[in-house]
Amino acid sequence: MADDVFGCRVLMFRAALSSACARLPHDDELPRPAGYRLIKDADALWCAFETAHHKANLPDQLEIPMEPFARAVEIVLKDSELRDDRGYTPEVVLWDHAVRHSAYVQSRHAMGRVLAAAA
């Protein structure tokens, strides 16, 4: 059951990322040879957030707010800028590092305190 839910969430995450990337120019429309594409690492990014979620013992299901998501992607892209080429893919440890520094866990803890105070 858990694998089915995880697989479904990864597919939904990948679909959302694909839709966002669909608005970008295709490789053949770029003026230079294309490099890294974020969609290639949808699973690694999801797993990094899932790992952080479980390590922090956060309640409820994994939900990734846009701000920590964007922050994690920004960290990886900035770190990867000089290494970008056709065969480049960021390492999993870089995604883990980016998620740790995205404030995902901190924002989920803060949201939990706000909801608890409102109850």
Side-chain angles (χ1 to χ4, degrees):
M1 173 72 177
D3 287 340
D4 291 343
V5 171
F6 174 72
C8 181
R9 286 179 177 263
V10 168
L11 289 175
M12 289 172 30
F13 180 70
R14 189 179 287 156
L17 196 53
S18 290
S19 137
C21 291
R23 293 188 280 285
L24 298 173
H26 294 284
D27 289 352
D28 57 349
E29 298 171 343
L30 295 173
R32 61 178 180 78
Y36 173 69
R37 293 286 182 253
L38 183 59
I39 190 65
K40 293 177 182 177
D41 275 337
D43 293 340
L45 179 55
W46 179 269
C47 288
F49 274 104
E50 186 175 52
T51 299
H53 185 87
H54 291 302
K55 278 185 176 179
N57 293 318
L58 295 172
D60 302 321
Q61 294 180 346
L62 173 62
E63 292 182 21
I64 306 171
M66 186 52 73
E67 200 165 308
F69 171 84
R71 215 176 275 136
V73 170
E74 179 183 23
I75 290 167
V76 168
L77 294 180
K78 282 184 176 179
D79 187 80
S80 302
E81 180 181 11
L82 297 176
R83 291 174 263 182
D84 189 28
D85 66 20
R86 192 171 284 281
Y88 176 73
T89 301
E91 294 181 23
V92 172
V93 294
L94 180 54
W95 284 113
D96 292 337
H97 167 82
V99 169
R100 273 194 313 277
H101 290 86
S102 72
Y104 168 72
V105 171
Q106 296 88 333
S107 68
R108 289 296 307 266
H109 282 302
M111 181 58 73
R113 286 190 296 275
V114 168
L115 293 176

